[in-house]
Amino acid sequence: QRSAVIRAMRYADSASRDTLLEAASLVVRSETQGKKAVRYTFTETGAELRSVVLAMGTWGARWIMNGPTPDEGDPDLIMMYLARHLNEPNLPKERVVVEFVLPSGRSRRRYWLLLIQGGSSLCLQHPGFDTNLTISSKVADLQRVYMGHFTWAQAVKDERITVQGPQALKRRFPAWMLWSHFAPVVAAKEQASQ
């Protein structure tokens, strides 16, 4: 129940934030797919402000951002970030279903990321297609990779993340992801501290 309330609050926060950004003429809202999906794009004013926000994020990543502890992390949030940061030109032309198995409290949460050029999506229930890859990880470890605390290859090598499936797909998966915009800053910070 608590996670459902948190998701509802996060949605409400997101909706009100989007409305504020639209009212401030920073973004323009457009509906696609017959009003099933909404897309926001920056106005000229918003695009100019974007560089300021990115500079602040870079500063935060360099000076104050630390990684999550092993027990921290929100599985819904990290999966939303992963689904939003796909390297579209590198995505497969044929659908690939990636199942994520993430511990959450006493249970394991499952998510399915359907990857295909031009139409990827995140599913909270089994999508009805065969799974091609299964990725298992603690939420905090997946979040650390996303944020740049360590690389995907290092996480797999250290068995923080396990990947099951055909070798060719296992090799291609990291190229399908964009990770955080601030990952290079965090990686440089981690390298300097060693």
Side-chain angles (χ1 to χ4, degrees):
Q1 173 134 5
R2 180 178 175 270
S3 65
V5 170
I6 291 170
R7 280 195 300 273
M9 288 170 50
R10 195 174 294 131
Y11 176 79
D13 287 348
S14 174
S16 61
R17 180 183 60 239
D18 294 341
T19 302
L20 286 171
L21 293 173
E22 192 176 7
S25 298
L26 298 175
V27 296
V28 175
R29 180 178 196 250
S30 59
E31 295 175 351
T32 60
Q33 301 175 5
K35 297 186 179 185
K36 289 183 182 178
V38 175
R39 180 183 172 102
Y40 290 90
T41 53
F42 285 111
T43 63
E44 184 178 349
T45 305
E48 190 172 323
L49 182 60
R50 184 176 188 268
S51 64
V52 174
V53 172
L54 289 175
M56 290 174 62
T58 298
W59 176 86
R62 185 174 295 125
W63 297 107
I64 61 173
M65 191 181 299
N66 294 315
T69 65
D71 295 330
E72 289 180 331
D74 180 334
D76 293 338
L77 190 60
I78 189 60
M79 290 308 302
M80 181 184 69
Y81 286 155
L82 292 178
R84 288 183 176 179
H85 292 101
L86 299 174
N87 192 352
E88 183 66 33
N90 285 357
L91 289 178
K93 291 184 170 79
E94 301 286 327
R95 180 185 57 240
V96 172
V97 178
V98 182
E99 180 180 7
F100 287 81
V101 181
L102 308 174
S104 178
R106 294 184 194 138
S107 64
R108 292 195 176 277
R109 297 289 308 270
R110 294 181 183 273
Y111 303 84
W112 291 265
L113 197 53
L114 277 62
L115 301 173
I116 188 167
Q117 285 183 2
S120 297
S121 59
L122 176 64
C123 300
L124 302 178
Q125 297 178 0
H126 193 284
F129 303 111
D130 290 338
T131 297
N132 304 104
L133 285 176
T134 301
I135 296 173
S136 301
S137 171
K138 291 181 180 176
V139 175
D141 287 334
L142 189 56
Q143 191 171 335
R144 285 178 161 283
V145 169
Y146 173 78
M147 288 303 302
H149 292 278
F150 43 79
T151 66
W152 177 264
Q154 188 64 49
V156 171
K157 180 182 173 198
D158 293 347
E159 297 180 354
R160 293 173 183 262
I161 294 177
T162 60
V163 185
Q164 297 175 322
Q167 205 60 33
L169 294 179
K170 288 163 69 171
R171 278 192 307 271
R172 290 173 51 204
F173 178 80
W176 298 335
M177 307 308 298
L178 288 178
W179 312 120
S180 167
H181 176 79
F182 307 109
V185 176
V186 173
K189 177 182 167 182
E190 293 283 330
Q191 187 70 28
S193 69
Q194 293 178 359

